[in-house]
Amino acid sequence: MRRIINPLIFSILIGILIISCQSNSEKKKVESVSTEQLAKEISENMPDQTAELVHPGKAVYTKYCLTCHQADGSGVPGMHPPLGPGSWTGNDPKELIAIMMKGLSGKIEVNGEIYKSFMPSHAQLTDQEIADVLTYIRISFGNSFEPVDAELVKKVRSGR
Ligand code: HEC
């Protein structure tokens, strides 16, 4: 009896092993969706506020922009301009990308306030990070503008 059952149990175990390996590799496939794809899906399919909370650009914003423009994008009066409705955030994406590349200085007007301050270049960020952070500010702080594509960042960066 033993000799008959053992191979049977053995093959069942092998079967289970193969099935669990397959479902593992499927899980990996799901996890390896690109951030670009994820950002696109989030901004297309989720209500604005949820998208704002989970968008990958939020991490970039928190690390590189928050100290000056504040967590809610309200800026600091007389020093750092706000990024909410009426600011430059809804301007042509190429203009925003250029600000990321070169920084910004000199007298500007945002929402009727004059700023004569200095923003450093963020050209060290990757095309994807710049696309993500600009998309993030364009769907956050009460804004609702089209996302920015990493391909466009690449074009502006290379002067095309
Ligand atoms: C060191 C502070 C500082 C950091 C960091 C910074 N900014 Fe700025 N930003 C400024 C200042 C100051 C201006 C206005 C410059 C002027 O007065 O000419 C500005 C202007 C802007 C503008 C155009 C004006 C407006 O308010 O719409 C945008 C858009 C912007 N910043 C986005 C960002 C993003 C996105 C990041 C992060 C990747 C960032 N900034 C990081 C200080 C900063």
Side-chain angles (χ1 to χ4, degrees):
M1 236 356 217
R2 269 197 176 178
R3 280 203 185 141
I4 301 168
I5 289 172
N6 277 348
L8 188 68
I9 290 175
F10 183 70
S11 54
I12 289 171
L13 285 178
I14 292 289
I16 291 171
L17 198 71
I18 288 171
I19 289 167
S20 67
C21 281
Q22 275 174 345
S23 62
N24 258 351
S25 65
E26 264 167 34
K27 262 187 216 150
K28 270 186 200 142
K29 243 188 236 161
V30 173
E31 280 164 9
S32 68
V33 172
S34 76
T35 38
E36 195 175 356
Q37 225 174 319
L38 192 67
K40 199 165 164 256
E41 295 220 344
I42 288 170
S43 50
E44 277 172 5
N45 300 320
M46 283 191 176
D48 283 354
Q49 269 188 322
T50 320
E52 181 176 338
L53 287 174
V54 299
H55 194 278
K58 184 174 185 175
V60 184
Y61 184 84
T62 304
K63 193 166 172 193
Y64 297 101
C65 325
L66 184 147
T67 42
C68 295
H69 293 286
Q70 306 301 300
D72 61 356
S74 60
V76 177
M79 266 178 92
H80 308 306
L83 301 175
S87 73
W88 295 17
T89 302
N91 289 9
D92 184 347
K94 284 185 184 160
E95 191 187 316
L96 298 177
I97 295 166
I99 293 176
M100 293 297 111
M101 295 297 155
K102 298 179 200 146
L104 193 64
S105 59
K107 197 169 144 190
I108 66 162
E109 190 181 326
V110 182
N111 287 355
E113 297 279 329
I114 300 290
Y115 296 85
K116 219 174 140 189
S117 199
F118 168 81
M119 171 172 156
S121 156
H122 286 76
Q124 81 276 17
L125 301 184
T126 66
D127 294 345
Q128 189 62 56
E129 284 171 326
I130 289 174
D132 284 347
V133 78
L134 290 178
T135 298
Y136 173 73
I137 64 172
R138 283 163 71 88
I139 60 165
S140 303
F141 322 134
N143 295 320
S144 182
F145 300 107
E146 288 291 303
V148 177
D149 197 73
E151 272 302 307
L152 186 65
V153 179
K154 196 175 166 190
K155 269 190 197 164
V156 175
R157 195 194 290 272
S158 63
R160 275 186 287 151

